[in-house]
């Protein structure tokens, strides 16, 4: 949405989007389903125009049609809202522990979440003294199988979902170290399930290695990954206890109750 000179939101530049937003606002103002006639009256849109846009929104599950001629907000909006809420709360919970971890190790610390077949970087703490150029900016994304955090998310999937991911993506590589074979990836994911951490051995970017630990919510669901990035010749396994302790601290602040005694990942996140 555009903003005007004062910084407040303006009208969308595409007319159909403006109409769609108007329709959603009308539906959001009522708890019960709204008739097409009332929607048309409140928006000033011709019934046929409103009907056409609402039908398209229904296909995307942004709008539900409980009965012919009436509409209400759909479950897809709830799903997206929950994603936004989760990401905001994870970021807020993670910031102070991330800064402390970075202060201790003087290497970039990244917070990432899953979005489809990729991970998205939502926060990072780093300093120029780390001696490593930071390539993946906040908002950047990368394939799951090429990143340490991405492997944690794949490890939380069942084998069928992992195979489906491999088929969709083709397991394309970025470097000669990239994992491009399903069998190799499955072996890597088994280690991630066993130890509760995952690694990127110059698979996304030559000269950079990473290690990641999972962050879990109050339902024991993996919602984010905390990773350390460092020059390949400077990565230190001595950082792992601090990384895991920081991820555990963030998880507990999100309401996660505890860890399995024998492995590093919650039982509910290791299906398969």
């Amino acid at each position: 949405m555009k903003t005007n000179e004062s910084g407040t939101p303006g009208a969308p530049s595409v007319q159909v989007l403006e109409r769609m937003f108007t329709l959603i606002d009308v539906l959001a103002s009522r708890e019960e389903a709204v008739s097409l006639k009332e929607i048309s009256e409140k928006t000033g849109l011709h019934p046929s125009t409103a009907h056409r846009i609402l039908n398209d929104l229904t296909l995307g599950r942004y709008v539900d049609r409980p009965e012919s001629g009436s509409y209400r907000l759909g479950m897809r909006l709830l799903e997206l809202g929950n994603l936004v809420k989760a990401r905001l709360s994870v970021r807020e919970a993670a910031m102070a522990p991330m800064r402390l971890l970075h202060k201790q190790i003087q290497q970039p610390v990244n917070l990432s979440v899953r979005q489809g077949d990729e991970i998205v970087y939502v926060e990072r703490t780093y300093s120029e003294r780390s001696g490593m150029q930071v390539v993946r900016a906040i908002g950047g994304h990368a394939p799951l199988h090429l990143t340490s955090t991405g492997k944690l998310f794949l490890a939380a999937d069942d084998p069928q979902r992992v195979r489906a991911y491999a088929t969709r993506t083709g397991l394309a590589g970025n470097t000669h170290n990239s994992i491009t074979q399903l069998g190799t990836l499955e072996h890597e994911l088994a280690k991630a399930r066993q130890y509760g951490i995952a690694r990127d051995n110059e698979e996304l970017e030559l000269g950079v290695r990473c290690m990641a630990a999972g962050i879990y919510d109050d339902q024991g669901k993996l919602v984010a990954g905390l990773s350390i990035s460092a020059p390949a010749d400077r990565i230190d396994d001595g950082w792992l206890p601090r990384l895991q302790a920081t991820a555990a601290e963030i998880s507990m602040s999100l309401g996660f109750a505890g860890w399995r005694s024998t492995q590093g990942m919650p039982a509910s996140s290791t299906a398969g």
Side-chain angles (χ1 to χ4, degrees):
M1 185 176 291
K2 288 183 176 180
T3 57
N4 56 30
E5 291 182 0
S6 66
T8 57
S13 59
V14 180
Q15 186 183 52
V16 68
L17 291 179
E18 181 177 9
R19 292 173 171 178
M20 180 185 71
F21 296 150
T22 301
L23 289 168
I24 289 176
D25 284 341
V26 169
L27 296 181
S29 69
R30 297 279 295 276
E31 292 186 8
E32 68 275 10
V34 187
S35 70
L36 179 60
K37 179 182 178 181
E38 183 177 349
I39 292 171
S40 176
E41 291 173 351
K42 287 184 175 294
T43 61
L45 295 175
H46 191 277
S48 63
T49 300
H51 180 262
R52 183 176 67 253
I53 298 173
L54 288 166
N55 275 352
D56 287 344
L57 289 170
T58 300
L59 291 175
R61 297 174 53 241
Y62 294 95
V63 168
D64 287 338
R65 185 167 47 208
E67 57 186 34
S68 180
S70 67
Y71 301 86
R72 65 187 179 194
L73 294 182
M75 293 301 294
R76 182 58 178 158
L77 290 172
L78 176 63
E79 294 168 359
L80 294 176
N82 284 336
L83 282 174
V84 173
K85 179 182 177 182
R87 290 171 184 175
L88 289 175
S89 61
V90 168
R91 182 182 179 277
E92 292 169 359
M95 282 307 300
M98 285 177 66
R99 290 193 183 106
L100 178 58
L101 178 60
H102 169 68
K103 185 177 180 180
Q104 292 171 336
I105 65 173
Q106 290 299 307
Q107 297 296 333
V109 178
N110 316 289
L111 180 69
S112 310
V113 298
R114 181 174 186 170
Q115 185 169 296
D117 289 341
E118 298 181 314
I119 61 108
V120 178
Y121 298 85
V122 296
E123 194 52 75
R124 159 167 287 150
T125 56
Y126 70 97
S127 65
E128 298 300 328
R129 288 181 298 171
S130 66
M132 182 184 70
Q133 183 172 353
V134 177
V135 175
R136 303 286 161 179
I138 296 173
H141 50 89
L144 295 174
H145 67 287
L146 298 183
T147 62
S148 54
T149 292
K151 290 174 186 175
L152 290 177
F153 279 101
L154 287 174
D157 282 346
D158 60 48
Q160 184 177 357
R161 288 178 179 269
V162 174
R163 288 192 293 269
Y165 168 84
T167 300
R168 283 194 307 273
T169 64
L171 297 182
N174 266 27
T175 75
H176 63 266
N177 282 0
S178 299
I179 294 177
T180 58
Q181 300 298 318
L182 177 58
T184 307
L185 177 61
E186 289 174 330
H187 179 70
E188 188 84 355
L189 300 184
K191 290 193 296 183
R193 294 188 189 102
Q194 180 178 359
Y195 298 110
I197 59 104
R199 301 173 185 269
D200 160 16
N201 183 31
E202 299 184 76
E203 296 160 53
L204 180 65
E205 181 181 348
L206 287 175
V208 178
R209 295 170 63 192
C210 305
M211 55 179 68
I215 295 171
Y216 302 87
D217 66 10
D218 59 336
Q219 302 299 311
K221 178 183 178 183
L222 179 65
V223 293
L226 192 69
S227 64
I228 298 171
S229 306
D233 60 354
R234 212 180 298 170
I235 199 86
D236 185 352
D237 278 0
W239 299 334
L240 276 173
R242 290 176 178 175
L243 174 65
Q244 291 178 297
T246 303
E249 178 184 351
I250 299 169
S251 298
M252 286 187 287
S253 71
L254 295 176
F256 182 58
W259 309 87
R260 287 192 296 177
S261 59
T262 57
Q263 295 184 5
M265 300 178 73
S268 60
S269 297
T270 58

